[in-house]
Amino acid sequence: MLFPAIFNFGASNSDTGGFAAAFIQPKSPNGDTFFRMPVGRFADGRLIIDFTAESLDLPFLSAYLNSLASNFSHGANFATVASTIRLPERIIPNGPSSPFYLRLQYLHFAQFKARSQTIRKGGGLYASLMPRDEYFAKALHTFDIGQNDLTQSLFLNKTATEVIAAVPDIVNQFTDNIQNLYGLGARSFWVYNTRPIGCFPVILTRFPSAEKDSAGCANLYNELADHFNVELKKALAQLRNKLPQATIVYVDIYSAIYSLYTSPAEYGFQLPLVACCGYGGKYNYSEAAACGETLSVNGKNITVGSCKDPSVRVNWDGIHLTEAANKFVFDGVSTGAFSDPSIPLKLACNPQ
């Protein structure tokens, strides 16, 4: 077994049920493509973290916050929808952010690491649901977080200049948490950069006058994401020198996803800028009509449902990718073609 466990830290792009356990379960058609029911994922099916687990012959990750029927024997998922790297300014229900920001996810992990071994020593049924002690050092630690630090600041009416000014602190807090995990024995880190947010219906709808590139994406907001990514890549390079026993892989998920906007037909996709599960407007997206929710239009109740064929669509609900797009992206990034250092996922356990 290459990695006996996965511990994931992130936001909605990798949340497998944390937000649903803490707040509210997403409604159908979320989950319908693969699971045939909502399962705490904001997509029609599997996420990149799910494909990661499958590729390593591991079960899907249970959310740490989920107390029902969870099995943590091969890892845990600390991600929740709307999570940020930095301490959020305003949290649900009085703001856009999850309270479970990255520092808190790390603290959850630290608590889980200690308590799970106490449970294992106690024996019995619950012991079998906890990871072995040696799994923690041998596990893959994955990160898919940072997007909300950018977008939520924009939604709170901060300018791109103000967001850029915050990037050094965001990146520093990111790498601080990686160092903290290293201090607890973690050695293998698979770190995604942030995505081309300027291509997402939520951004295109919120900022309709933004200048567009040839793919129809909003230049300013992709440039903002790219700035974050440049700084993150430099910081991780410095961290490798500081933590020579760790394998720290920077994964350029931005480029893997952006190819679906520049050449969708080449990869079998259609209408990449348009949400599959949405309602209204040029991009089939409205903040008043989340996927699976019901809204009133001209006196009639309409349930926001899926497009006819999610398998050929890139964007699911205005913010997240479809299962098909997640699979395409995972197949690309897992080869190492988008990584620095350029090593495939299954070799990320080897010290560099």
Side-chain angles (χ1 to χ4, degrees):
M1 187 178 291
L2 296 172
F3 292 104
I6 301 171
F7 296 104
N8 181 68
F9 306 83
S12 57
N13 291 314
S14 62
D15 181 357
T16 56
F19 184 90
F23 297 104
I24 187 170
Q25 177 82 249
K27 297 178 181 178
S28 177
N30 286 290
D32 286 1
T33 292
F34 182 80
F35 300 99
R36 308 302 180 195
M37 60 184 286
V39 287
R41 291 157 174 79
F42 283 75
D44 60 311
R46 289 165 291 182
L47 310 178
I48 290 171
I49 189 64
D50 294 316
F51 291 115
T52 302
E54 287 184 335
S55 75
L56 298 174
D57 295 322
L58 297 175
F60 293 147
L61 293 184
S62 291
Y64 171 76
L65 295 176
N66 188 9
S67 60
L68 301 175
S70 289
N71 186 336
F72 300 115
S73 59
H74 292 282
N77 193 348
F78 301 90
T80 67
V81 170
S83 287
T84 53
I85 294 169
R86 296 204 301 177
L87 179 68
E89 293 183 28
R90 293 166 52 193
I91 64 170
I92 298 166
N94 298 314
S97 303
S98 165
F100 305 108
Y101 73 114
L102 186 56
R103 169 69 178 172
L104 192 51
Q105 291 182 28
Y106 158 73
L107 292 174
H108 282 168
F109 172 84
Q111 180 179 208
F112 174 81
K113 185 174 188 288
R115 293 184 64 197
S116 65
Q117 297 316 293
T118 300
I119 292 170
R120 279 195 65 85
K121 290 175 183 177
L125 172 63
Y126 295 115
S128 67
L129 301 177
M130 299 297 135
R132 297 177 182 274
D133 182 55
E134 63 267 24
Y135 284 6
F136 287 92
K138 297 178 180 178
L140 179 67
H141 299 77
T142 55
F143 297 82
D144 193 347
I145 194 167
Q147 178 176 313
N148 292 326
D149 290 85
L150 307 182
T151 59
Q152 290 177 11
S153 294
L154 294 169
F155 299 158
L156 292 173
N157 297 319
K158 292 188 178 181
T159 65
T161 300
E162 289 174 316
V163 179
I164 286 173
V167 166
D169 184 51
I170 296 170
V171 170
N172 284 340
Q173 292 198 35
F174 197 163
T175 55
D176 282 349
N177 280 285
I178 293 177
Q179 289 186 79
N180 290 338
L181 286 166
Y182 182 90
L184 290 180
R187 290 297 180 268
S188 297
F189 303 93
W190 187 261
V191 184
Y192 291 109
N193 66 8
T194 203
R195 301 166 183 231
I197 58 175
C199 300
F200 295 171
V202 61
I203 292 292
L204 294 167
T205 300
R206 180 69 75 97
F207 305 106
S209 62
E211 180 183 342
K212 311 296 193 300
D213 64 14
S214 60
C217 302
N219 277 325
L220 176 62
Y221 304 103
N222 275 353
E223 289 169 359
L224 179 59
D226 188 58
H227 176 75
F228 171 86
N229 292 340
V230 168
E231 295 305 309
L232 176 62
K233 187 175 184 178
K234 289 192 295 188
L236 292 180
Q238 294 170 358
L239 198 59
R240 283 190 205 101
N241 293 328
K242 191 172 183 180
L243 308 176
Q245 293 183 332
T247 299
I248 303 173
V249 183
Y250 168 90
V251 187
D252 185 13
I253 201 171
Y254 178 108
S255 296
I257 293 174
Y258 189 62
S259 66
L260 292 175
Y261 294 96
T262 57
S263 307
E266 181 180 343
Y267 304 114
F269 289 90
Q270 304 169 3
L271 303 172
L273 299 173
V274 180
C276 173
C277 188
Y279 182 86
K282 181 178 180 180
Y283 303 105
N284 196 38
Y285 175 80
S286 169
E287 292 181 8
C291 180
E293 298 294 335
T294 300
L295 72 158
S296 179
V297 179
N298 299 324
K300 290 185 177 182
N301 287 334
I302 296 176
T303 299
V304 180
S306 173
C307 58
K308 184 177 180 181
D309 187 3
S311 71
V312 297
R313 300 293 286 274
V314 173
N315 191 282
W316 171 239
D317 59 1
I319 302 170
H320 310 100
L321 299 182
T322 60
E323 176 182 273
N326 281 325
K327 178 65 163 60
F328 170 85
V329 172
F330 172 76
D331 286 346
V333 299
S334 62
T335 65
F338 294 88
S339 298
D340 179 27
S342 183
I343 56 176
L345 174 69
K346 292 184 177 180
L347 295 181
C349 55
N350 296 334
Q352 298 299 304

